[in-house]
């Protein structure tokens, strides 16, 4: 019997020792999740910085309330578990259950409301229209301030897709809408999320404070490929932003290529636009400068000729639920030619 007890104690001791060794690793993994290109705990915008400040203040406030209530509970059940007078009970209820929570919650409310004017400050940067569509993002730079959902959301301005460039230190106004279902535009490092709703325009102001590339996501379930509806936000200097918009407004970089003929013969131009060619479709993303973007298929693959060919041939396999048909019937040589041309459109 004593031997069994000793063996059991030994096993528990070894288990505790293993857990103690794993604790530092677990802490490192947990802290690593607080940084990165898609983390609200690594703010790179004024609104995101205010939101994380509010989070920590509310966490401290909630902790104080919890500690106070638990302290009273322990006192009443452990320290002085006997009967208490009605006067003492009323005091506990009044000070612990009314006064203390009201003071703390009022302070949290005032702190949160003081942040609101900063969120509503006017924009001084560019106006960019973003239309959430199943399952990608239509983008137009330099959108004019014109009324009407159709004009403000995708009919005017410099077209692009799935990648938003922003000048650092400027308050850029983002006009948000959708032609199909409700999506939600969210760049965790820069600002909170805002829905794109069919039939109306929502406005969001993004003020990035740090150069870099950040991940954006759709934060509202919108269908089968919802989890694969991402985008990139590239925060650059004002000069680099101006150069990028000028590039987006230009025609395709390569017009004389055998892949162009194959692209047009396969009917791709009915859905996709490549400016400078006869392809002017509006159903799918604009491909004029596809190779200058970081990702393909709204954030799911790096842009390379091999990935382009794979996505065209195995569209439903790569992105289940996408509305683009697969072109697996095309000969491999023709697929490679089309992918080589698209991969040269910088």
């Amino acid at each position: 019997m004593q031997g069994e007890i000793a063996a059991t104690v030994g096993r528990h001791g070894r288990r505790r020792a293993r857990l103690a060794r794993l604790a530092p690793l677990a802490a490192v993994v947990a802290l690593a999740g607080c940084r990165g290109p898609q983390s609200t705990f690594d703010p790179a915008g004024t609104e995101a910085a205010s939101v994380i400040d509010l989070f920590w203040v509310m966490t401290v406030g909630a902790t104080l309330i919890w500690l106070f209530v638990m302290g009273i509970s322990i006192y009443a059940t452990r320290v002085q578990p006997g009967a208490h007078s009605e006067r003492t009970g009323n005091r506990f209820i009044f000070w612990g259950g009314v006064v203390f929570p009201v003071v703390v919650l009022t302070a949290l409310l005032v702190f949160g409301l003081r942040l609101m004017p900063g969120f509503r400050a006017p924009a001084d940067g560019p106006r960019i229209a973003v239309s959430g569509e199943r399952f990608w993002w239509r983008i137009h730079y330099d959108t004019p301030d014109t009324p009407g959902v159709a004009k403000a959301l995708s009919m005017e301005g410099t077209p692009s897709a799935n990648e938003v460039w922003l000048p650092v230190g400027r308050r850029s106004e983002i006009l948000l809408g959708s032609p199909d279902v409700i999506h939600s535009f969210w760049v965790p490092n820069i600002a909170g999320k805002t829905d794109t709703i069919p039939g109306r325009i929502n406005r969001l102001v993004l003020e990035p404070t740090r150069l870099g590339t950040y991940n954006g996501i759709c934060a509202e379930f919108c269908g089968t490929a919802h989890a694969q509806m991402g985008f990139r936000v590239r925060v650059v200097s004002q000069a680099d932003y101006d150069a990028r918009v000028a590039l987006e407004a230009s025609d395709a970089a390569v017009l004389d290529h055998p892949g162009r003929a194959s692209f047009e013969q396969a009917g791709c131009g009915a859905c996709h636009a490549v400016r400078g060619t006869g392809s002017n479709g509006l159903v799918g993303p604009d491909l004029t400068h596809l190779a200058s973007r970081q990702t393909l298929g709204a954030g799911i693959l790096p842009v390379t000729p091999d990935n382009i060919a794979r996505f065209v041939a195995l569209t439903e396999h790569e992105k289940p639920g996408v509305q683009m048909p697969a072109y697996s019937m095309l000969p491999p040589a023709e697929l490679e030619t089309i992918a080589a041309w698209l991969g040269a459109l910088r």
Side-chain angles (χ1 to χ4, degrees), residues 11-336:
R11 285 197 298 270
H12 285 299
R14 289 192 294 272
R15 185 178 302 170
R16 286 195 296 270
R18 286 196 297 270
L19 291 175
R21 288 194 297 269
L22 290 176
L25 177 61
V28 170
V29 172
L31 291 174
C34 295
R35 298 191 64 83
Q38 191 176 315
S39 174
T40 56
F41 290 92
D42 187 17
T46 54
E47 182 173 324
S50 297
V51 169
I52 196 62
D53 288 343
L54 179 62
F55 168 80
W56 287 120
V57 170
M58 293 187 68
T59 300
V60 171
T63 302
L64 289 175
I65 293 177
W66 182 83
L67 290 174
F68 193 84
V69 172
M70 293 305 297
I72 292 177
S73 300
I74 293 172
Y75 175 81
T77 59
R78 300 289 184 181
V79 180
Q80 293 290 338
H84 297 274
S85 67
E86 182 177 351
R87 182 178 181 182
T88 301
N90 289 335
R91 285 180 176 176
F92 271 128
I93 293 173
F94 178 73
W95 291 104
V98 178
V99 175
F100 183 74
V102 167
V103 170
V104 174
L105 294 176
T106 300
L108 293 176
L109 177 62
V110 171
F111 182 84
L113 292 177
R114 286 171 61 88
L115 300 177
M116 296 301 294
F119 296 164
R120 296 295 179 263
D124 61 357
R127 180 181 290 109
I128 303 170
V130 177
S131 176
E133 307 186 13
R134 293 186 294 182
F135 295 96
W136 60 286
W137 302 89
R138 187 188 302 273
I139 297 163
H140 275 69
Y141 295 96
D142 293 337
T143 300
D145 189 14
T146 52
V149 174
K151 288 185 178 180
L153 280 181
S154 53
M155 298 302 174
E156 298 185 27
T158 301
S160 184
N162 298 324
E163 194 170 279
V164 181
W165 286 58
L166 296 173
V168 68
R170 301 288 303 278
R171 293 180 60 80
S172 301
E173 183 180 19
I174 312 297
L175 306 179
L176 297 167
S178 173
D180 42 52
V181 300
I182 296 176
H183 304 274
S184 191
F185 181 91
W186 188 25
V187 191
N189 297 77
I190 299 178
K193 63 182 180 180
T194 300
D195 287 347
T196 68
I197 301 175
R200 64 173 295 172
I201 297 175
N202 285 334
R203 286 175 166 79
L204 171 67
V205 175
L206 300 181
E207 185 180 1
T209 56
R210 192 172 74 225
L211 300 175
T213 300
Y214 305 98
N215 295 341
I217 58 174
C218 175
E220 181 80 23
F221 181 74
C222 54
T224 309
H226 158 71
Q228 293 179 305
M229 187 176 168
F231 59 97
R232 295 290 185 274
V233 173
R234 307 279 296 275
V235 179
V236 297
S237 66
Q238 182 66 53
D240 287 342
Y241 172 82
D242 294 337
R244 178 65 186 187
V245 174
L247 172 66
E248 292 284 6
S250 65
D251 290 343
V254 179
L255 299 177
D256 185 14
H257 191 285
R260 172 185 171 182
S262 299
F263 181 89
E264 294 174 346
Q265 290 170 6
C268 303
C271 294
H272 298 282
V274 180
R275 274 169 279 127
T277 73
S279 300
N280 55 6
L282 296 176
V283 178
D286 186 294
L287 303 180
T288 305
H289 300 290
L290 172 64
S292 66
R293 301 170 195 158
Q294 292 187 340
T295 63
L296 176 72
I300 67 171
L301 293 169
V303 176
T304 66
D306 288 343
N307 284 339
I308 293 173
R310 181 178 179 84
F311 188 82
V312 172
L314 303 171
T315 314
E316 182 65 27
H317 177 270
E318 294 296 324
K319 190 169 182 175
V322 70
Q323 298 183 356
M324 173 181 165
Y327 280 80
S328 56
M329 79 294 291
L330 294 178
E334 189 171 353
L335 278 171
E336 291 177 3

